[in-house]
Amino acid sequence: MEDPRTEVIQAWYMDESDEEQRLPHHREPKEYVSFDRLNELGVLSWHLDADNYETDEELKKIRAERGYTYVDFCDLCPERMPNYEQKIKNFFEEHLHTDEEIRYCVDGSGYFDIRDENEKWIRVWVKKGGMIVLPAGMYHRFTLDSDNYIKAMRLFVGEPVWTPYNRPHDELPARKEYLDTFIKKEASNHAVNAAA
Ligand SMILES: CSCCC(=O)/C(O)=C/O
Ligand SMILES: [Fe+2]
């Protein structure tokens, strides 16, 4: 039986082209990335019932287990989002956070791009019903896809801190902890290996 998450979350290695960021940027031939690989890099994912997020017991359970006490919504639409253009630009700058980035797509879709252990970009396409957690200290970026709309629930443990630290911020403890836990390379070696 197919993993139910594939309906709402798919991941693949990106090509190297500088074309429009909202395009899928598949390699030729396509190179998909499994949920197990995402997991090894620290990315968690679920398929949830986005039409009933207010009463969904599975979401309640995840929130209770992981301590996600805070919730709000990011409605990425030019009419409803103040400073829309600037936000779109900022989200696509490679950055990290010192806490998890937890996003649940309740409508629309978008691309979360993450780096693998060799610095290659993996594009994670999250559609309505897909929820992902990017670990603290993982470099990533976000863009809308060509449908140009997402409404995402943002969750957090306690008072939210959304600060993006644009790359490079390898000195941050969160970055070191991420590398120790998931990549098992030091930040300086990592940069050398990536350039080789
Ligand atoms: C779809 S939520 C907006 C993206 C965001 O909050 C973020 O931090 C991207 O990295
Ligand atoms: Fe982010």
Side-chain angles (χ1 to χ4, degrees), residues 33-53:
V33 175
S34 69
F35 290 109
D36 285 346
R37 277 289 292 131
L38 293 180
N39 217 261
E40 283 167 10
L41 295 167
V43 177
L44 307 178
S45 54
W46 295 266
H47 180 180
L48 299 175
D49 179 5
D51 288 323
N52 296 295
Y53 62 78

PDB file of all heavy atoms in Angstrom, residues 33-53:
ATOM      1  N   VAL A  33      12.710  11.760  -3.701  1.00  0.00           N
ATOM      2  CA  VAL A  33      13.344  11.521  -2.400  1.00  0.00           C
ATOM      3  C   VAL A  33      12.283  10.920  -1.473  1.00  0.00           C
ATOM      4  O   VAL A  33      11.162  11.438  -1.395  1.00  0.00           O
ATOM      5  CB  VAL A  33      13.892  12.853  -1.817  1.00  0.00           C
ATOM      6  CG1 VAL A  33      14.452  12.662  -0.421  1.00  0.00           C
ATOM      7  CG2 VAL A  33      14.947  13.452  -2.753  1.00  0.00           C
ATOM      8  N   SER A  34      12.642   9.826  -0.795  1.00  0.00           N
ATOM      9  CA  SER A  34      11.657   9.111   0.028  1.00  0.00           C
ATOM     10  C   SER A  34      11.434   9.807   1.385  1.00  0.00           C
ATOM     11  O   SER A  34      12.257  10.619   1.828  1.00  0.00           O
ATOM     12  CB  SER A  34      12.146   7.682   0.285  1.00  0.00           C
ATOM     13  OG  SER A  34      13.277   7.737   1.133  1.00  0.00           O
ATOM     14  N   PHE A  35      10.347   9.405   2.041  1.00  0.00           N
ATOM     15  CA  PHE A  35      10.085   9.940   3.387  1.00  0.00           C
ATOM     16  C   PHE A  35      11.163   9.482   4.368  1.00  0.00           C
ATOM     17  O   PHE A  35      11.504  10.209   5.303  1.00  0.00           O
ATOM     18  CB  PHE A  35       8.695   9.519   3.871  1.00  0.00           C
ATOM     19  CG  PHE A  35       7.593  10.208   3.116  1.00  0.00           C
ATOM     20  CD1 PHE A  35       6.801   9.512   2.215  1.00  0.00           C
ATOM     21  CD2 PHE A  35       7.366  11.565   3.279  1.00  0.00           C
ATOM     22  CE1 PHE A  35       5.800  10.150   1.497  1.00  0.00           C
ATOM     23  CE2 PHE A  35       6.370  12.221   2.566  1.00  0.00           C
ATOM     24  CZ  PHE A  35       5.580  11.509   1.669  1.00  0.00           C
ATOM     25  N   ASP A  36      11.709   8.288   4.144  1.00  0.00           N
ATOM     26  CA  ASP A  36      12.793   7.814   5.029  1.00  0.00           C
ATOM     27  C   ASP A  36      14.020   8.717   4.924  1.00  0.00           C
ATOM     28  O   ASP A  36      14.662   9.040   5.921  1.00  0.00           O
ATOM     29  CB  ASP A  36      13.194   6.375   4.673  1.00  0.00           C
ATOM     30  CG  ASP A  36      12.152   5.368   5.151  1.00  0.00           C
ATOM     31  OD1 ASP A  36      11.281   5.757   5.964  1.00  0.00           O
ATOM     32  OD2 ASP A  36      12.203   4.211   4.707  1.00  0.00           O
ATOM     33  N   ARG A  37      14.349   9.121   3.693  1.00  0.00           N
ATOM     34  CA  ARG A  37      15.516  10.014   3.497  1.00  0.00           C
ATOM     35  C   ARG A  37      15.246  11.363   4.162  1.00  0.00           C
ATOM     36  O   ARG A  37      16.130  11.940   4.793  1.00  0.00           O
ATOM     37  CB  ARG A  37      15.784  10.226   1.999  1.00  0.00           C
ATOM     38  CG  ARG A  37      16.578   9.145   1.348  1.00  0.00           C
ATOM     39  CD  ARG A  37      18.055   9.151   1.800  1.00  0.00           C
ATOM     40  NE  ARG A  37      18.769  10.320   1.323  1.00  0.00           N
ATOM     41  CZ  ARG A  37      19.523  11.107   2.063  1.00  0.00           C
ATOM     42  NH1 ARG A  37      19.668  10.869   3.355  1.00  0.00           N
ATOM     43  NH2 ARG A  37      20.136  12.146   1.541  1.00  0.00           N
ATOM     44  N   LEU A  38      14.009  11.866   3.987  1.00  0.00           N
ATOM     45  CA  LEU A  38      13.672  13.147   4.618  1.00  0.00           C
ATOM     46  C   LEU A  38      13.835  13.021   6.132  1.00  0.00           C
ATOM     47  O   LEU A  38      14.380  13.912   6.798  1.00  0.00           O
ATOM     48  CB  LEU A  38      12.243  13.578   4.269  1.00  0.00           C
ATOM     49  CG  LEU A  38      11.968  13.941   2.804  1.00  0.00           C
ATOM     50  CD1 LEU A  38      10.498  14.340   2.635  1.00  0.00           C
ATOM     51  CD2 LEU A  38      12.872  15.068   2.322  1.00  0.00           C
ATOM     52  N   ASN A  39      13.374  11.867   6.625  1.00  0.00           N
ATOM     53  CA  ASN A  39      13.474  11.611   8.059  1.00  0.00           C
ATOM     54  C   ASN A  39      14.925  11.600   8.546  1.00  0.00           C
ATOM     55  O   ASN A  39      15.237  12.142   9.604  1.00  0.00           O
ATOM     56  CB  ASN A  39      12.832  10.257   8.326  1.00  0.00           C
ATOM     57  CG  ASN A  39      12.106  10.271   9.626  1.00  0.00           C
ATOM     58  OD1 ASN A  39      12.648   9.809  10.605  1.00  0.00           O
ATOM     59  ND2 ASN A  39      10.917  10.844   9.655  1.00  0.00           N
ATOM     60  N   GLU A  40      15.799  10.994   7.745  1.00  0.00           N
ATOM     61  CA  GLU A  40      17.229  10.957   8.118  1.00  0.00           C
ATOM     62  C   GLU A  40      17.807  12.365   8.207  1.00  0.00           C
ATOM     63  O   GLU A  40      18.717  12.622   8.984  1.00  0.00           O
ATOM     64  CB  GLU A  40      18.031  10.174   7.059  1.00  0.00           C
ATOM     65  CG  GLU A  40      17.878   8.670   7.171  1.00  0.00           C
ATOM     66  CD  GLU A  40      18.410   7.926   5.955  1.00  0.00           C
ATOM     67  OE1 GLU A  40      19.075   8.545   5.097  1.00  0.00           O
ATOM     68  OE2 GLU A  40      18.133   6.723   5.859  1.00  0.00           O
ATOM     69  N   LEU A  41      17.267  13.269   7.381  1.00  0.00           N
ATOM     70  CA  LEU A  41      17.752  14.655   7.421  1.00  0.00           C
ATOM     71  C   LEU A  41      17.051  15.461   8.521  1.00  0.00           C
ATOM     72  O   LEU A  41      17.342  16.644   8.710  1.00  0.00           O
ATOM     73  CB  LEU A  41      17.533  15.327   6.062  1.00  0.00           C
ATOM     74  CG  LEU A  41      18.347  14.733   4.906  1.00  0.00           C
ATOM     75  CD1 LEU A  41      17.837  15.242   3.560  1.00  0.00           C
ATOM     76  CD2 LEU A  41      19.832  15.054   5.061  1.00  0.00           C
ATOM     77  N   GLY A  42      16.097  14.818   9.213  1.00  0.00           N
ATOM     78  CA  GLY A  42      15.431  15.470  10.343  1.00  0.00           C
ATOM     79  C   GLY A  42      14.056  16.017  10.040  1.00  0.00           C
ATOM     80  O   GLY A  42      13.444  16.665  10.891  1.00  0.00           O
ATOM     81  N   VAL A  43      13.556  15.754   8.820  1.00  0.00           N
ATOM     82  CA  VAL A  43      12.249  16.306   8.430  1.00  0.00           C
ATOM     83  C   VAL A  43      11.144  15.311   8.771  1.00  0.00           C
ATOM     84  O   VAL A  43      11.185  14.153   8.350  1.00  0.00           O
ATOM     85  CB  VAL A  43      12.218  16.609   6.908  1.00  0.00           C
ATOM     86  CG1 VAL A  43      10.841  17.116   6.480  1.00  0.00           C
ATOM     87  CG2 VAL A  43      13.305  17.620   6.546  1.00  0.00           C
ATOM     88  N   LEU A  44      10.145  15.777   9.529  1.00  0.00           N
ATOM     89  CA  LEU A  44       8.989  14.945   9.890  1.00  0.00           C
ATOM     90  C   LEU A  44       7.813  15.339   8.997  1.00  0.00           C
ATOM     91  O   LEU A  44       7.728  16.495   8.555  1.00  0.00           O
ATOM     92  CB  LEU A  44       8.604  15.176  11.348  1.00  0.00           C
ATOM     93  CG  LEU A  44       9.722  15.024  12.380  1.00  0.00           C
ATOM     94  CD1 LEU A  44       9.190  15.337  13.773  1.00  0.00           C
ATOM     95  CD2 LEU A  44      10.324  13.625  12.313  1.00  0.00           C
ATOM     96  N   SER A  45       6.896  14.397   8.771  1.00  0.00           N
ATOM     97  CA  SER A  45       5.765  14.735   7.895  1.00  0.00           C
ATOM     98  C   SER A  45       4.537  13.892   8.219  1.00  0.00           C
ATOM     99  O   SER A  45       4.657  12.752   8.684  1.00  0.00           O
ATOM    100  CB  SER A  45       6.172  14.531   6.435  1.00  0.00           C
ATOM    101  OG  SER A  45       6.670  13.230   6.229  1.00  0.00           O
ATOM    102  N   TRP A  46       3.377  14.487   7.942  1.00  0.00           N
ATOM    103  CA  TRP A  46       2.089  13.813   8.169  1.00  0.00           C
ATOM    104  C   TRP A  46       1.109  14.183   7.052  1.00  0.00           C
ATOM    105  O   TRP A  46       1.233  15.255   6.456  1.00  0.00           O
ATOM    106  CB  TRP A  46       1.440  14.287   9.477  1.00  0.00           C
ATOM    107  CG  TRP A  46       2.164  13.954  10.720  1.00  0.00           C
ATOM    108  CD1 TRP A  46       1.954  12.870  11.523  1.00  0.00           C
ATOM    109  CD2 TRP A  46       3.208  14.719  11.362  1.00  0.00           C
ATOM    110  NE1 TRP A  46       2.801  12.918  12.596  1.00  0.00           N
ATOM    111  CE2 TRP A  46       3.582  14.023  12.528  1.00  0.00           C
ATOM    112  CE3 TRP A  46       3.870  15.920  11.069  1.00  0.00           C
ATOM    113  CZ2 TRP A  46       4.581  14.485  13.393  1.00  0.00           C
ATOM    114  CZ3 TRP A  46       4.864  16.371  11.915  1.00  0.00           C
ATOM    115  CH2 TRP A  46       5.203  15.652  13.055  1.00  0.00           C
ATOM    116  N   HIS A  47       0.138  13.306   6.844  1.00  0.00           N
ATOM    117  CA  HIS A  47      -1.028  13.634   6.020  1.00  0.00           C
ATOM    118  C   HIS A  47      -2.207  13.780   6.980  1.00  0.00           C
ATOM    119  O   HIS A  47      -2.590  12.813   7.644  1.00  0.00           O
ATOM    120  CB  HIS A  47      -1.304  12.510   5.011  1.00  0.00           C
ATOM    121  CG  HIS A  47      -2.476  12.757   4.119  1.00  0.00           C
ATOM    122  ND1 HIS A  47      -2.879  11.862   3.162  1.00  0.00           N
ATOM    123  CD2 HIS A  47      -3.336  13.800   4.028  1.00  0.00           C
ATOM    124  CE1 HIS A  47      -3.929  12.344   2.510  1.00  0.00           C
ATOM    125  NE2 HIS A  47      -4.232  13.519   3.039  1.00  0.00           N
ATOM    126  N   LEU A  48      -2.772  14.973   7.047  1.00  0.00           N
ATOM    127  CA  LEU A  48      -3.868  15.232   7.986  1.00  0.00           C
ATOM    128  C   LEU A  48      -5.125  15.679   7.233  1.00  0.00           C
ATOM    129  O   LEU A  48      -5.074  15.963   6.034  1.00  0.00           O
ATOM    130  CB  LEU A  48      -3.437  16.322   8.986  1.00  0.00           C
ATOM    131  CG  LEU A  48      -2.222  15.981   9.864  1.00  0.00           C
ATOM    132  CD1 LEU A  48      -1.831  17.188  10.709  1.00  0.00           C
ATOM    133  CD2 LEU A  48      -2.504  14.780  10.746  1.00  0.00           C
ATOM    134  N   ASP A  49      -6.223  15.752   7.969  1.00  0.00           N
ATOM    135  CA  ASP A  49      -7.517  16.112   7.383  1.00  0.00           C
ATOM    136  C   ASP A  49      -7.690  17.637   7.447  1.00  0.00           C
ATOM    137  O   ASP A  49      -8.210  18.180   8.420  1.00  0.00           O
ATOM    138  CB  ASP A  49      -8.616  15.390   8.189  1.00  0.00           C
ATOM    139  CG  ASP A  49     -10.001  15.732   7.671  1.00  0.00           C
ATOM    140  OD1 ASP A  49     -10.103  16.441   6.640  1.00  0.00           O
ATOM    141  OD2 ASP A  49     -10.975  15.280   8.304  1.00  0.00           O
ATOM    142  N   ALA A  50      -7.291  18.293   6.353  1.00  0.00           N
ATOM    143  CA  ALA A  50      -7.260  19.764   6.368  1.00  0.00           C
ATOM    144  C   ALA A  50      -8.649  20.394   6.373  1.00  0.00           C
ATOM    145  O   ALA A  50      -8.795  21.563   6.732  1.00  0.00           O
ATOM    146  CB  ALA A  50      -6.463  20.268   5.170  1.00  0.00           C
ATOM    147  N   ASP A  51      -9.680  19.625   5.983  1.00  0.00           N
ATOM    148  CA  ASP A  51     -11.036  20.194   5.997  1.00  0.00           C
ATOM    149  C   ASP A  51     -11.597  20.257   7.420  1.00  0.00           C
ATOM    150  O   ASP A  51     -12.603  20.932   7.658  1.00  0.00           O
ATOM    151  CB  ASP A  51     -11.976  19.363   5.110  1.00  0.00           C
ATOM    152  CG  ASP A  51     -11.673  19.580   3.639  1.00  0.00           C
ATOM    153  OD1 ASP A  51     -11.346  20.728   3.272  1.00  0.00           O
ATOM    154  OD2 ASP A  51     -11.719  18.601   2.864  1.00  0.00           O
ATOM    155  N   ASN A  52     -10.956  19.529   8.314  1.00  0.00           N
ATOM    156  CA  ASN A  52     -11.473  19.473   9.699  1.00  0.00           C
ATOM    157  C   ASN A  52     -10.368  19.730  10.725  1.00  0.00           C
ATOM    158  O   ASN A  52     -10.338  19.087  11.762  1.00  0.00           O
ATOM    159  CB  ASN A  52     -12.113  18.095   9.939  1.00  0.00           C
ATOM    160  CG  ASN A  52     -13.319  17.899   9.052  1.00  0.00           C
ATOM    161  OD1 ASN A  52     -14.311  18.602   9.191  1.00  0.00           O
ATOM    162  ND2 ASN A  52     -13.216  16.961   8.111  1.00  0.00           N
ATOM    163  N   TYR A  53      -9.472  20.679  10.412  1.00  0.00           N
ATOM    164  CA  TYR A  53      -8.323  20.859  11.313  1.00  0.00           C
ATOM    165  C   TYR A  53      -8.735  21.336  12.705  1.00  0.00           C
ATOM    166  O   TYR A  53      -8.010  21.121  13.670  1.00  0.00           O
ATOM    167  CB  TYR A  53      -7.261  21.784  10.683  1.00  0.00           C
ATOM    168  CG  TYR A  53      -7.728  23.197  10.405  1.00  0.00           C
ATOM    169  CD1 TYR A  53      -7.831  24.130  11.417  1.00  0.00           C
ATOM    170  CD2 TYR A  53      -8.041  23.587   9.106  1.00  0.00           C
ATOM    171  CE1 TYR A  53      -8.255  25.421  11.143  1.00  0.00           C
ATOM    172  CE2 TYR A  53      -8.460  24.870   8.825  1.00  0.00           C
ATOM    173  CZ  TYR A  53      -8.565  25.785   9.850  1.00  0.00           C
ATOM    174  OH  TYR A  53      -8.984  27.056   9.587  1.00  0.00           O
TER     175      TYR A  53
END
